[in-house]
Short mmCIF file of all heavy atoms in Angstrom, two decimals:
data_model
loop_
_atom_site.label_atom_id
_atom_site.label_comp_id
_atom_site.label_asym_id
_atom_site.label_seq_id
_atom_site.Cartn_x
_atom_site.Cartn_y
_atom_site.Cartn_z
N GLU A 1 -5.83 7.61 -10.67
CA GLU A 1 -7.13 7.38 -10.05
C GLU A 1 -7.88 6.27 -10.78
O GLU A 1 -8.48 5.39 -10.16
CB GLU A 1 -7.96 8.67 -10.06
CG GLU A 1 -9.29 8.52 -9.35
CD GLU A 1 -10.06 9.83 -9.27
OE1 GLU A 1 -9.80 10.73 -10.09
OE2 GLU A 1 -10.92 9.95 -8.38
N LYS A 2 -7.82 6.27 -12.09
CA LYS A 2 -8.51 5.23 -12.87
C LYS A 2 -7.85 3.87 -12.72
O LYS A 2 -8.49 2.84 -12.84
CB LYS A 2 -8.54 5.63 -14.35
CG LYS A 2 -9.49 6.78 -14.66
CD LYS A 2 -9.48 7.11 -16.14
CE LYS A 2 -10.47 8.23 -16.46
NZ LYS A 2 -10.45 8.59 -17.90
N SER A 3 -6.55 3.87 -12.45
CA SER A 3 -5.84 2.59 -12.36
C SER A 3 -6.27 1.79 -11.14
O SER A 3 -6.21 0.56 -11.14
CB SER A 3 -4.32 2.82 -12.30
OG SER A 3 -3.93 3.27 -11.03
N GLY A 4 -6.67 2.48 -10.06
CA GLY A 4 -7.14 1.77 -8.88
C GLY A 4 -6.05 1.35 -7.92
O GLY A 4 -6.29 1.22 -6.72
N ASN A 5 -4.84 1.07 -8.41
CA ASN A 5 -3.72 0.76 -7.51
C ASN A 5 -2.44 1.26 -8.14
O ASN A 5 -2.26 1.20 -9.36
CB ASN A 5 -3.65 -0.73 -7.19
CG ASN A 5 -3.52 -1.59 -8.41
OD1 ASN A 5 -2.45 -1.70 -9.00
ND2 ASN A 5 -4.61 -2.23 -8.83
N PHE A 6 -1.56 1.77 -7.31
CA PHE A 6 -0.36 2.41 -7.84
C PHE A 6 0.65 2.64 -6.73
O PHE A 6 0.32 2.68 -5.55
CB PHE A 6 -0.71 3.76 -8.49
CG PHE A 6 -1.45 4.71 -7.57
CD1 PHE A 6 -0.76 5.64 -6.82
CD2 PHE A 6 -2.82 4.65 -7.47
CE1 PHE A 6 -1.42 6.52 -5.97
CE2 PHE A 6 -3.51 5.52 -6.61
CZ PHE A 6 -2.81 6.46 -5.87
N ILE A 7 1.89 2.78 -7.12
CA ILE A 7 2.95 3.26 -6.24
C ILE A 7 2.93 4.78 -6.31
O ILE A 7 2.94 5.37 -7.40
CB ILE A 7 4.32 2.74 -6.68
CG1 ILE A 7 4.35 1.21 -6.61
CG2 ILE A 7 5.45 3.33 -5.83
CD1 ILE A 7 5.52 0.59 -7.33
N ASP A 8 2.87 5.44 -5.18
CA ASP A 8 2.78 6.90 -5.17
C ASP A 8 4.11 7.58 -4.86
O ASP A 8 4.33 8.71 -5.28
CB ASP A 8 1.73 7.35 -4.14
CG ASP A 8 1.32 8.81 -4.33
OD1 ASP A 8 1.04 9.19 -5.49
OD2 ASP A 8 1.26 9.56 -3.34
N MET A 9 4.97 6.91 -4.13
CA MET A 9 6.24 7.53 -3.75
C MET A 9 7.30 6.48 -3.52
O MET A 9 7.01 5.40 -3.01
CB MET A 9 6.05 8.38 -2.49
CG MET A 9 7.31 9.12 -2.02
SD MET A 9 8.38 8.10 -0.94
CE MET A 9 7.58 8.34 0.64
N TYR A 10 8.51 6.81 -3.91
CA TYR A 10 9.66 5.96 -3.62
C TYR A 10 10.85 6.87 -3.34
O TYR A 10 11.15 7.77 -4.14
CB TYR A 10 9.97 5.05 -4.81
CG TYR A 10 11.20 4.18 -4.62
CD1 TYR A 10 11.18 3.11 -3.75
CD2 TYR A 10 12.37 4.43 -5.32
CE1 TYR A 10 12.30 2.30 -3.58
CE2 TYR A 10 13.49 3.63 -5.16
CZ TYR A 10 13.45 2.57 -4.30
OH TYR A 10 14.55 1.78 -4.13
N ALA A 11 11.49 6.68 -2.21
CA ALA A 11 12.67 7.47 -1.85
C ALA A 11 13.74 6.52 -1.37
O ALA A 11 13.45 5.50 -0.73
CB ALA A 11 12.35 8.49 -0.76
N SER A 12 14.99 6.85 -1.66
CA SER A 12 16.08 5.97 -1.25
C SER A 12 17.28 6.79 -0.81
O SER A 12 17.49 7.93 -1.25
CB SER A 12 16.48 5.04 -2.40
OG SER A 12 16.91 5.77 -3.52
N ALA A 13 18.07 6.17 0.06
CA ALA A 13 19.32 6.79 0.48
C ALA A 13 20.32 6.72 -0.67
O ALA A 13 20.31 5.76 -1.46
CB ALA A 13 19.88 6.09 1.71
N ASP A 14 21.17 7.71 -0.77
CA ASP A 14 22.11 7.76 -1.89
C ASP A 14 23.09 6.60 -1.88
O ASP A 14 23.60 6.22 -2.94
CB ASP A 14 22.89 9.09 -1.86
CG ASP A 14 21.98 10.29 -2.12
OD1 ASP A 14 20.85 10.08 -2.62
OD2 ASP A 14 22.39 11.42 -1.80
N ASP A 15 23.33 5.99 -0.71
CA ASP A 15 24.25 4.85 -0.68
C ASP A 15 23.57 3.55 -1.09
O ASP A 15 24.21 2.50 -1.19
CB ASP A 15 24.88 4.69 0.71
CG ASP A 15 23.87 4.39 1.81
OD1 ASP A 15 22.69 4.13 1.50
OD2 ASP A 15 24.26 4.42 3.00
N GLY A 16 22.24 3.60 -1.34
CA GLY A 16 21.53 2.44 -1.85
C GLY A 16 21.14 1.41 -0.81
O GLY A 16 20.64 0.35 -1.17
N PHE A 17 21.31 1.69 0.46
CA PHE A 17 21.05 0.68 1.49
C PHE A 17 19.74 0.87 2.25
O PHE A 17 19.40 0.04 3.09
CB PHE A 17 22.22 0.62 2.48
CG PHE A 17 23.42 -0.09 1.92
CD1 PHE A 17 24.47 0.63 1.36
CD2 PHE A 17 23.48 -1.47 1.92
CE1 PHE A 17 25.57 -0.02 0.83
CE2 PHE A 17 24.58 -2.13 1.39
CZ PHE A 17 25.63 -1.41 0.84
N ASP A 18 19.01 1.94 2.00
CA ASP A 18 17.73 2.17 2.67
C ASP A 18 16.73 2.73 1.67
O ASP A 18 17.10 3.53 0.79
CB ASP A 18 17.87 3.16 3.83
CG ASP A 18 18.84 2.72 4.89
OD1 ASP A 18 18.64 1.64 5.46
OD2 ASP A 18 19.82 3.45 5.14
N ASN A 19 15.46 2.37 1.83
CA ASN A 19 14.43 3.02 1.03
C ASN A 19 13.09 2.99 1.74
O ASN A 19 12.89 2.24 2.70
CB ASN A 19 14.33 2.40 -0.38
CG ASN A 19 13.70 1.02 -0.41
OD1 ASN A 19 12.62 0.81 0.14
ND2 ASN A 19 14.37 0.07 -1.05
N ILE A 20 12.18 3.82 1.26
CA ILE A 20 10.82 3.87 1.76
C ILE A 20 9.90 4.07 0.57
O ILE A 20 10.26 4.80 -0.37
CB ILE A 20 10.64 4.99 2.82
CG1 ILE A 20 9.24 4.94 3.41
CG2 ILE A 20 10.95 6.36 2.24
CD1 ILE A 20 9.07 5.81 4.66
N ASN A 21 8.76 3.40 0.57
CA ASN A 21 7.83 3.60 -0.53
C ASN A 21 6.40 3.57 -0.03
O ASN A 21 6.11 3.02 1.04
CB ASN A 21 8.05 2.57 -1.65
CG ASN A 21 7.63 1.18 -1.25
OD1 ASN A 21 6.45 0.85 -1.25
ND2 ASN A 21 8.61 0.34 -0.92
N ILE A 22 5.52 4.19 -0.80
CA ILE A 22 4.10 4.24 -0.48
C ILE A 22 3.33 3.74 -1.69
O ILE A 22 3.53 4.23 -2.81
CB ILE A 22 3.65 5.67 -0.13
CG1 ILE A 22 4.35 6.15 1.14
CG2 ILE A 22 2.13 5.74 0.04
CD1 ILE A 22 4.05 7.60 1.50
N SER A 23 2.45 2.76 -1.48
CA SER A 23 1.57 2.28 -2.54
C SER A 23 0.13 2.39 -2.06
O SER A 23 -0.14 2.48 -0.86
CB SER A 23 1.91 0.84 -2.93
OG SER A 23 1.70 -0.03 -1.84
N ALA A 24 -0.81 2.40 -3.02
CA ALA A 24 -2.21 2.57 -2.67
C ALA A 24 -3.08 1.69 -3.56
O ALA A 24 -2.76 1.46 -4.73
CB ALA A 24 -2.62 4.04 -2.83
N GLN A 25 -4.17 1.21 -2.98
CA GLN A 25 -5.14 0.41 -3.71
C GLN A 25 -6.54 0.85 -3.33
O GLN A 25 -6.88 0.91 -2.14
CB GLN A 25 -4.98 -1.08 -3.40
CG GLN A 25 -5.98 -1.96 -4.13
CD GLN A 25 -5.96 -3.40 -3.67
OE1 GLN A 25 -5.27 -3.72 -2.71
NE2 GLN A 25 -6.70 -4.26 -4.33
N LYS A 26 -7.38 1.16 -4.32
CA LYS A 26 -8.74 1.58 -4.04
C LYS A 26 -9.57 0.39 -3.59
O LYS A 26 -9.49 -0.70 -4.16
CB LYS A 26 -9.37 2.21 -5.28
CG LYS A 26 -10.66 2.95 -4.98
CD LYS A 26 -11.12 3.77 -6.16
CE LYS A 26 -12.32 4.62 -5.80
NZ LYS A 26 -12.75 5.46 -6.95
N LEU A 27 -10.41 0.60 -2.54
CA LEU A 27 -11.22 -0.47 -1.98
C LEU A 27 -12.70 -0.15 -2.11
O LEU A 27 -13.11 1.01 -2.15
CB LEU A 27 -10.90 -0.65 -0.49
CG LEU A 27 -9.45 -0.85 -0.07
CD1 LEU A 27 -9.39 -1.07 1.43
CD2 LEU A 27 -8.84 -2.01 -0.82
N SER A 28 -13.49 -1.20 -2.15
CA SER A 28 -14.94 -1.04 -2.07
C SER A 28 -15.33 -0.93 -0.60
O SER A 28 -14.54 -1.23 0.30
CB SER A 28 -15.64 -2.24 -2.71
OG SER A 28 -15.40 -3.41 -1.93
N LYS A 29 -16.58 -0.53 -0.35
CA LYS A 29 -17.04 -0.41 1.03
C LYS A 29 -17.01 -1.77 1.73
O LYS A 29 -16.68 -1.86 2.91
CB LYS A 29 -18.45 0.17 1.06
CG LYS A 29 -18.50 1.64 0.68
CD LYS A 29 -19.92 2.18 0.80
CE LYS A 29 -19.96 3.68 0.44
NZ LYS A 29 -21.35 4.21 0.54
N SER A 30 -17.38 -2.83 1.01
CA SER A 30 -17.37 -4.16 1.62
C SER A 30 -15.95 -4.61 1.95
O SER A 30 -15.71 -5.27 2.97
CB SER A 30 -18.05 -5.18 0.71
OG SER A 30 -17.35 -5.31 -0.52
N GLU A 31 -14.99 -4.26 1.10
CA GLU A 31 -13.60 -4.61 1.37
C GLU A 31 -13.08 -3.88 2.60
O GLU A 31 -12.33 -4.44 3.40
CB GLU A 31 -12.73 -4.29 0.15
CG GLU A 31 -12.95 -5.26 -1.01
CD GLU A 31 -12.24 -4.81 -2.27
OE1 GLU A 31 -12.06 -3.60 -2.48
OE2 GLU A 31 -11.87 -5.70 -3.06
N ILE A 32 -13.49 -2.62 2.74
CA ILE A 32 -13.07 -1.85 3.91
C ILE A 32 -13.64 -2.47 5.19
O ILE A 32 -12.94 -2.61 6.20
CB ILE A 32 -13.50 -0.38 3.78
CG1 ILE A 32 -12.71 0.30 2.66
CG2 ILE A 32 -13.30 0.36 5.10
CD1 ILE A 32 -13.18 1.70 2.34
N LYS A 33 -14.90 -2.88 5.14
CA LYS A 33 -15.55 -3.44 6.32
C LYS A 33 -14.87 -4.72 6.80
O LYS A 33 -14.77 -4.97 8.00
CB LYS A 33 -17.03 -3.71 6.03
CG LYS A 33 -17.87 -2.45 5.98
CD LYS A 33 -19.33 -2.80 5.72
CE LYS A 33 -20.20 -1.55 5.69
NZ LYS A 33 -21.62 -1.86 5.42
N LYS A 34 -14.40 -5.55 5.87
CA LYS A 34 -13.81 -6.82 6.29
C LYS A 34 -12.29 -6.79 6.38
O LYS A 34 -11.67 -7.79 6.72
CB LYS A 34 -14.25 -7.95 5.35
CG LYS A 34 -13.72 -7.85 3.94
CD LYS A 34 -14.29 -9.01 3.11
CE LYS A 34 -13.79 -8.96 1.67
NZ LYS A 34 -14.38 -10.05 0.86
N PHE A 35 -11.71 -5.61 6.11
CA PHE A 35 -10.26 -5.52 6.17
C PHE A 35 -9.76 -5.68 7.60
O PHE A 35 -10.27 -5.04 8.53
CB PHE A 35 -9.78 -4.18 5.62
CG PHE A 35 -8.29 -3.97 5.77
CD1 PHE A 35 -7.40 -4.67 4.98
CD2 PHE A 35 -7.79 -3.11 6.74
CE1 PHE A 35 -6.03 -4.50 5.13
CE2 PHE A 35 -6.42 -2.93 6.89
CZ PHE A 35 -5.55 -3.63 6.07
N ASP A 36 -8.79 -6.52 7.78
CA ASP A 36 -8.15 -6.74 9.07
C ASP A 36 -6.65 -6.85 8.83
O ASP A 36 -6.18 -7.79 8.19
CB ASP A 36 -8.69 -8.02 9.70
CG ASP A 36 -8.15 -8.25 11.12
OD1 ASP A 36 -6.93 -8.37 11.27
OD2 ASP A 36 -8.97 -8.31 12.06
N ALA A 37 -5.90 -5.87 9.31
CA ALA A 37 -4.47 -5.81 9.01
C ALA A 37 -3.72 -7.04 9.51
O ALA A 37 -2.88 -7.59 8.79
CB ALA A 37 -3.86 -4.54 9.61
N VAL A 38 -4.02 -7.48 10.71
CA VAL A 38 -3.30 -8.63 11.28
C VAL A 38 -3.57 -9.88 10.46
O VAL A 38 -2.64 -10.62 10.09
CB VAL A 38 -3.70 -8.85 12.75
CG1 VAL A 38 -3.12 -10.17 13.26
CG2 VAL A 38 -3.21 -7.70 13.61
N GLU A 39 -4.85 -10.13 10.15
CA GLU A 39 -5.18 -11.31 9.35
C GLU A 39 -4.56 -11.23 7.97
O GLU A 39 -4.10 -12.23 7.40
CB GLU A 39 -6.70 -11.46 9.24
CG GLU A 39 -7.39 -11.80 10.54
CD GLU A 39 -6.87 -13.10 11.14
OE1 GLU A 39 -6.68 -14.07 10.39
OE2 GLU A 39 -6.63 -13.13 12.37
N ASN A 40 -4.52 -10.02 7.42
CA ASN A 40 -3.90 -9.84 6.11
C ASN A 40 -2.42 -10.19 6.14
O ASN A 40 -1.91 -10.92 5.28
CB ASN A 40 -4.09 -8.40 5.65
CG ASN A 40 -3.31 -8.10 4.38
OD1 ASN A 40 -3.57 -8.68 3.35
ND2 ASN A 40 -2.34 -7.21 4.49
N PHE A 41 -1.71 -9.69 7.13
CA PHE A 41 -0.29 -9.96 7.22
C PHE A 41 -0.02 -11.45 7.47
O PHE A 41 0.90 -12.03 6.89
CB PHE A 41 0.35 -9.12 8.33
CG PHE A 41 0.46 -7.66 8.00
CD1 PHE A 41 0.15 -6.69 8.94
CD2 PHE A 41 0.88 -7.24 6.75
CE1 PHE A 41 0.24 -5.34 8.64
CE2 PHE A 41 0.98 -5.88 6.43
CZ PHE A 41 0.66 -4.94 7.38
N LYS A 42 -0.85 -12.06 8.31
CA LYS A 42 -0.68 -13.49 8.56
C LYS A 42 -0.83 -14.28 7.27
O LYS A 42 -0.08 -15.23 7.00
CB LYS A 42 -1.72 -13.97 9.58
CG LYS A 42 -1.43 -13.56 11.02
CD LYS A 42 -2.51 -14.09 11.95
CE LYS A 42 -2.24 -13.71 13.40
NZ LYS A 42 -3.33 -14.20 14.30
#
């Protein structure tokens, strides 16, 4: 919680060819208001 950003989960297939992970970053209210996923990805 104090770190503000972290990887929370990582899972992988035993054959090593697939994985999924979850990361998180704490945001301020102003960051949430201006967040736009499409613009971010672009």
Side-chain angles (χ1 to χ4, degrees):
E1 184 175 22
K2 288 181 178 179
S3 76
N5 58 77
F6 55 93
I7 298 166
D8 195 47
M9 182 274 277
Y10 177 72
S12 60
D14 294 343
D15 63 9
F17 284 97
D18 300 302
N19 73 51
I20 185 168
N21 70 78
I22 296 175
S23 63
Q25 179 188 7
K26 193 169 186 178
L27 307 183
S28 67
K29 289 183 179 179
S30 62
E31 287 172 331
I32 292 173
K33 286 181 179 179
K34 67 182 180 182
F35 175 74
D36 185 299
V38 171
E39 292 301 317
N40 172 63
F41 288 137
K42 285 180 179 179

